[in-house]
Amino acid sequence: MAGRRGGTRIGAKRNSGDHSKRPARGISIAAMLMLAIFAASLALPFPPSPRFVPAPVPEPVAWEPTRPGDTLTKGAALSSVLASRGFDTDHIREIIRLLQAYRSPRTLRPGTALRFALGATGIPDRILLALTPDSLLHFVHDDSVWTTRIEPVPFVLDTVRISGVIESSLWSARLGGDVERVGKKEFEEMVYDLADVFAWKVDFTRDLRRGDVLRVAVERKVRPDGSIRSRHFLAIELSNAGRVLRAIPQPAPGGRYAYFDEEGRSLRGAFLRYPVPYRITSHFNTRRFHPILKLWRAHEGIDYGAPAGAPVEATASGIVTWAGFMGAYGRLVELRHPGELRTRYAHLSSIAPDVRPGARVEQGQIIGRVGSSGLATGPHLHYEFLQNGRHRDPLKVELPGAPSIDAARQAEFLRDRDEVLPLLYGIPISDPPVSLASGAARTAARGRSN
């Protein structure tokens, strides 16, 4: 019995061992079959990879020389230009119909030029029209069908660096650097922009001193015809009365730029210094003879000698608390700002439709037009600044500043600063006086700032 039990045990072990080896043989056979199939696949020829064929480059269009009749003149219709090139009524109607998908033909200004390329019949089968300064509209006639496509006008980026040494004003500064690459109109616009950048730090008509030095680096997008598509300052440095002011731009909403000093502090104040760019005719005064009432009384604001209809801008963002007629003030808008501050704009000829009590307005938004309503001898703007309910002189009150660079963006700002400030180094200064601004522009500048 014992031997049988032992034999049985041994036999069982042997039998169990035999079963465990059978799956291993199956796996090995499957592996051999897979190897054989793989080897056979290596012997099969693969199809050749497709030959690279570059995309065809369109042939350049042979545009016809421009004729005098290809340019729209005052009172001339687009159909007349097309008819002069041999187009029949059906073609003219179809071309105008396609153009209307982009703009009305009536809005094409005199001086707009068309270009034509002749087809096999001698009648143009391609037309090129400057839709905007930055887009071209192509008309293509193929297989008896006209089609259109828009092509952007190319531009190149360039950088100009200009220096200016103040003689009497920036308009008559001794200029150097790349001044020959900057036209008169562009320089005039640049001066206005510089005045806006430093508006809270420097009055360009009063604070500049003989010998002050300005250096700017400007990045521009230039079209093929030399016109400027857009531009913005890369860096600015102004040495004024012993102090050095620097401005570094950072992108802001709406495609604009906000400017900061080299430490990241905003150059922009929470309030504009003036609501209209015209000279001051009457200052803040605690005792002034009123020209209409013929008595001495406080003049608790500033009068700007602006012409009737001139736009009035909100000096800061705020909530409208009054928009209507108020006694001697005439038509008046009052805005409430953070920090118990209020501003008033009086003697208006009209108030903007969206300016009503409870509405919010933004800094620089047009809130009305200059007039002479109320007790006023003529068109002007009366502007008041109140702090905690008390009138303050807008030119002397300490105004709050805009926020500095956010801490999360500080490192990025410092990298930008270290990249652009070296552009200001070594800009040459011209010896002979050079002024690109016209007399009219200088007069306008004085009117904006006084």
Side-chain angles (χ1 to χ4, degrees):
M1 291 291 292
R4 191 177 298 135
R5 281 195 296 270
T8 303
R9 254 191 246 102
I10 295 171
K13 286 180 181 178
R14 285 176 181 171
N15 290 340
S16 64
D18 292 342
H19 286 298
S20 65
K21 290 179 182 178
R22 285 172 187 165
R25 283 197 203 98
I27 292 172
S28 63
I29 292 172
M32 292 177 63
L33 287 173
M34 291 178 66
L35 288 171
I37 293 171
F38 178 70
S41 68
L42 293 177
L44 294 175
F46 284 97
S49 57
R51 184 171 61 88
F52 173 75
V53 179
V57 178
E59 296 183 2
V61 178
W63 297 106
E64 283 282 290
T66 303
R67 302 176 184 174
D70 295 343
T71 300
L72 287 175
T73 57
K74 187 175 182 179
L78 175 62
S79 57
S80 301
V81 176
L82 297 175
S84 69
R85 278 289 187 166
F87 290 102
D88 59 28
T89 304
D90 292 337
H91 281 265
I92 293 174
R93 187 181 298 111
E94 178 64 11
I95 293 168
I96 292 178
R97 185 188 69 81
L98 291 172
L99 174 61
Q100 286 173 336
Y102 302 93
R103 65 183 296 178
S104 169
R106 295 181 180 179
T107 64
L108 295 176
R109 295 183 176 182
T112 300
L114 286 79
R115 300 201 65 185
F116 300 91
L118 297 183
T121 62
I123 303 297
D125 60 0
R126 290 177 182 265
I127 306 172
L128 182 63
L129 171 68
L131 197 62
T132 69
D134 296 308
S135 61
L136 302 172
L137 179 59
H138 286 261
F139 297 85
V140 180
H141 187 249
D142 192 21
D143 293 333
S144 301
V145 176
W146 282 98
T147 58
T148 59
R149 64 179 176 86
I150 292 287
E151 175 190 346
V153 174
F155 64 85
V156 295
L157 281 174
D158 76 348
T159 300
V160 293
R161 303 187 307 154
I162 298 175
S163 67
V165 179
I166 306 302
E167 298 290 340
S168 59
S169 71
L170 185 55
W171 298 96
S172 58
R174 192 168 72 247
L175 302 178
D178 300 322
V179 63
E180 73 283 351
R181 294 165 55 193
V182 178
K184 179 188 297 184
K185 182 179 179 181
E186 184 184 357
F187 177 74
E188 293 171 356
E189 293 173 351
M190 197 180 299
V191 171
Y192 286 134
D193 292 342
L194 286 167
D196 289 339
V197 170
F198 290 114
W200 293 267
K201 302 292 182 181
V202 180
D203 184 331
F204 270 43
T205 62
R206 292 183 177 91
D207 297 340
L208 294 183
R209 300 290 181 266
R210 183 182 178 89
D212 287 351
V213 177
L214 175 77
R215 292 183 173 89
V216 299
V218 183
E219 183 177 80
R220 309 183 302 177
K221 293 180 180 179
V222 185
R223 301 186 185 97
D225 63 359
S227 61
I228 306 301
R229 178 178 180 181
S230 65
R231 58 174 174 76
H232 72 275
F233 296 110
L234 294 173
I236 311 170
E237 181 182 86
L238 174 64
S239 299
N240 167 240
R243 59 176 178 165
V244 177
L245 302 173
R246 295 187 178 91
I248 295 109
Q250 291 290 286
R256 306 180 70 177
Y257 289 89
Y259 289 85
F260 301 84
D261 67 12
E262 63 267 40
E263 301 301 326
R265 295 182 293 260
S266 177
L267 293 178
R268 186 179 184 86
F271 284 79
L272 298 171
R273 276 295 179 187
Y274 45 80
V276 288
Y278 293 92
R279 65 186 181 88
I280 295 174
T281 56
S282 184
H283 286 264
F284 186 92
N285 196 333
T286 56
R287 192 169 183 268
R288 187 195 71 157
F289 187 76
H290 196 283
I292 295 179
L293 300 177
K294 305 300 181 182
L295 53 83
W296 292 92
R297 61 185 293 182
H299 187 244
E300 298 176 320
I302 292 177
D303 289 347
Y304 292 90
V312 177
E313 298 181 355
T315 55
S317 301
I319 304 298
V320 180
T321 55
W322 186 277
F325 209 87
M326 184 187 281
Y329 284 111
R331 291 184 185 85
L332 176 137
V333 171
E334 181 184 79
L335 305 179
R336 184 184 73 247
H337 314 282
E340 296 299 321
L341 301 175
R342 292 175 185 258
T343 54
R344 291 175 178 172
Y345 312 78
H347 303 313
L348 301 175
S349 63
S350 63
I351 297 173
D354 54 346
V355 176
R356 62 183 73 89
R360 178 175 176 81
V361 299
E362 301 299 329
Q363 185 183 61
Q365 180 178 334
I366 296 175
I367 58 176
R369 301 279 173 174
V370 170
S372 55
S373 58
L375 288 182
T377 56
H380 72 282
L381 175 72
H382 177 78
Y383 174 63
E384 294 183 357
F385 189 98
L386 293 87
Q387 187 175 38
N388 296 318
R390 297 181 57 189
H391 287 86
R392 304 290 299 275
D393 187 343
L395 297 180
K396 296 180 180 179
V397 67
E398 187 68 27
L399 298 175
S404 299
I405 286 287
D406 187 83
R409 296 176 51 209
Q410 183 73 8
E412 179 184 357
F413 170 78
L414 294 177
R415 286 193 296 270
D416 290 344
R417 176 200 67 183
D418 294 342
E419 181 179 345
V420 298
L421 282 182
L423 295 173
L424 302 175
Y425 302 155
I427 302 178
I429 295 175
S430 174
D431 286 332
V434 178
S435 175
L436 295 180
S438 64
R442 287 194 292 273
T443 302
R446 287 195 292 269
R448 285 178 53 134
S449 304
N450 286 349

